[in-house]
């Protein structure tokens, strides 16, 4: 590929940064435009498990395996399933032996940023619009003015991508599930009973059409999600995010009948609650190739987190796009080939994530989950529910 090609990547998430890093390794400069003003503007979210055949493969291609091993938590791959009285229905005690290490998102982003020249990422650049130029190239419009021209613009700007409307009329649809997120800090010292309840990995409990999933993160932090099947606007009407004290009280009310030691997750939460309606693009989402524009990661195929493939898919998309750009002489043909391969590759995990979301909180939810945990105890983690 011509190394003079001007490439803009919109979004410094795991997908965009992986693409920038692999191209950088091969002497191809890119500019990443990120709306956040600096890397720590907001917490990047919880823990993610890296899959050997996608996320880890991409990071290997990025030459970052030593750095990955420094942040990977192999010891936090366990899983527990409880009933609402806090009886253990299933437990995988062999937490460290799996091949899907956990990483914290913030650590993953920091690792990728460290592997790039500081000038590569332009912080505080919220892209508003992509404008077609008469010469077939593209300008990006920001609050501070426009940047360009670029030969290739890669939308790595997540679920609500501003580049996607130029390629596809589809928008993510609400899945019917809403997550209320909360977090508990310093669990080993301040909340040892909760540390034990959640164990070294993730803990799930589902009853009465509601569910709680809690995951151990790095730095002795637990992130928990209260999960409801409700209309899209229900949570915003039901909860007042401006009042953490009221959030705790109302969540405890919602889970009335669950054991007090489970409800302690809400009692012990810090003040950072968030409402996350789970949305997804249709399975099989694709678009006709358009010269100079493409998408990767959630921008291309956001799906429910049931399946745990999102970040792995995003980084593998990036690795594949980079590989083809590096290998092919015709960059536009390389992008079209990437898209064709990606559309076919993503269908399986999109189907799994859609099925995972559809079967959550059914009248036999807990039984279904338990059967799945048991049948996979051997371990085919691909279908372990949820956040495999
Ligand atoms: C509750 C929840 C739990 C999840 N759990 C898991 C899990 O366990 N495992 C897993 O693999 N995945 C999980 N996911 C999915 C995972 O977070 C995503 O699939 C992954 O982050 C996608 O990476 P990305 O780089 O494509 O996009 P993102 O991570 O969304 O990054 C997009 C970046 O683009 C920036 N941006 C957006 N718009 C603009 C703009 N206009 N201009 C400039 N910058 C912009 C954003 O600020 C962001 O930095 C979960 C998702 C949710 C909601």
């Amino acid at each position: 590929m011509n190394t003079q090609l001007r490439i803009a990547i919109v979004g410094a998430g795991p997908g965009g940064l992986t693409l920038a890093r692999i191209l950088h390794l091969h002497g191809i400069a890119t500019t990443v435009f990120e709306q956040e003003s600096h890397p720590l503007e907001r917490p990047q979210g919880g823990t993610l498990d890296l899959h050997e055949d996608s996320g880890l493969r991409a990071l290997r291609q990025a030459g970052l395996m030593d750095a990955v091993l420094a942040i990977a938590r192999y010891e936090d791959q366990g899983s527990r399933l409880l009933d609402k009285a806090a009886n253990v229905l299933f437990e995988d005690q062999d937490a460290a032996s799996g091949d899907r290490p956990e990483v914290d998102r913030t650590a993953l982003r920091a690792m990728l940023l460290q592997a790039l020249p500081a000038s590569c990422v332009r912080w505080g650049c919220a892209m508003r619009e992509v404008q077609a130029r008469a010469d077939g190239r593209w300008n990006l419009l920001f609050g501070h003015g426009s940047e360009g021209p670029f030969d290739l613009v890669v939308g790595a700007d997540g679920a609500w991508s501003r580049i996607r409307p130029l390629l596809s009329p589809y928008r993510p649809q609400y899945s019917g599930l809403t997550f209320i997120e909360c977090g508990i800090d310093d669990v080993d010292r301040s909340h040892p009973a909760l540390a034990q309840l959640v164990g070294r990995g993730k803990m799930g409990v589902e009853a009465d059409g509601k569910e709680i999933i809690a995951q151990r993160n790095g730095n002795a932090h637990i992130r928990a999600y209260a999960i409801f099947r409700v209309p899209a606007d229900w949570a915003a009407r039901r909860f007042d995010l401006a009042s953490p004290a009221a959030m705790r009280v109302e969540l405890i009310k919602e889970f009335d009948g669950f054991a007090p030691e489970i409800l302690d997750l809400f009692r012990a939460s810090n003040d950072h609650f968030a409402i996350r309606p789970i949305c997804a693009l249709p399975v099989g989402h694709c678009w006709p190739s358009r010269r100079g524009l493409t998408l990767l990661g959630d921008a291309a195929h956001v799906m429910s987190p049931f399946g745990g493939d999102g970040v792995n898919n995003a980084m593998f998309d990036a690795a594949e796009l980079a590989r083809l750009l590096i290998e092919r002489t015709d960059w536009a043909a390389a992008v079209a080939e990437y898209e064709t391969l990606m559309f076919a590759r993503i269908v399986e995990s999109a189907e799994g994530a859609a099925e995972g979301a559809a079967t959550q909180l059914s009248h036999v939810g807990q039984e279904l989950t338990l059967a799945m945990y048991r049948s996979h105890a051997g371990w085919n983690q691909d279908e372990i529910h949820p956040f495999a």
Side-chain angles (χ1 to χ4, degrees), residues 11 14-15 34-36 48 105 109 125 127 156-157 297-298 308 310-311:
E34 167 57 46
Q35 65 184 357
E36 291 166 10
L48 303 157
R105 276 168 212 249
R109 189 193 234 186
C125 290
M127 195 211 65
D157 50 343
D298 278 10
V311 82

Side-chain angles (χ1 to χ4, degrees), residues 354-386:
E355 195 185 327
T359 54
Q360 291 308 297
L361 306 182
S362 72
H363 60 294
V364 289
Q366 180 88 296
E367 289 78 1
L368 205 62
T369 306
L370 178 57
M372 229 183 290
Y373 269 63
R374 284 193 177 137
S375 73
H376 292 91
W379 266 128
N380 174 5
Q381 291 199 40
D382 280 349
E383 291 170 47
I384 283 283
H385 139 106

Side-chain angles (χ1 to χ4, degrees), residues 8-19 32-34 153-159 161-164 294-300 314 318 321:
I9 299 169
V10 181
L17 292 176
T18 302
L19 177 62
V32 181
F33 295 98
E34 167 57 46
V153 177
V154 181
D157 50 343
S161 170
R162 287 189 177 234
I163 295 169
R164 188 173 54 233
T294 195
L295 305 173
L296 60 75
D298 278 10
L321 176 56

Side-chain angles (χ1 to χ4, degrees), residues 27-43:
I28 301 166
T30 60
T31 307
V32 181
F33 295 98
E34 167 57 46
Q35 65 184 357
E36 291 166 10
S37 55
H38 58 85
L40 301 176
E41 180 185 300
R42 66 172 176 100

Side-chain angles (χ1 to χ4, degrees), residues 160-174:
W160 305 103
S161 170
R162 287 189 177 234
I163 295 169
R164 188 173 54 233
L166 281 91
L167 294 169
S168 154
Y170 289 96
R171 283 173 60 79
Q173 298 294 307
Y174 178 55

Side-chain angles (χ1 to χ4, degrees), residues 311-384:
V311 82
N312 290 284
N313 285 335
M315 293 193 295
F316 194 62
D317 286 353
E320 280 290 275
L321 176 56
R323 178 181 69 78
L324 290 161
L325 285 171
I326 292 157
E327 285 177 6
R328 305 284 184 264
T329 45
D330 177 345
W331 66 267
V335 173
E337 186 179 350
Y338 150 77
E339 288 168 344
T340 305
L341 294 173
M342 182 263 286
F343 296 150
R345 171 165 45 78
I346 290 302
V347 167
E348 192 181 340
S349 61
E351 276 173 352
E355 195 185 327
T359 54
Q360 291 308 297
L361 306 182
S362 72
H363 60 294
V364 289
Q366 180 88 296
E367 289 78 1
L368 205 62
T369 306
L370 178 57
M372 229 183 290
Y373 269 63
R374 284 193 177 137
S375 73
H376 292 91
W379 266 128
N380 174 5
Q381 291 199 40
D382 280 349
E383 291 170 47
I384 283 283

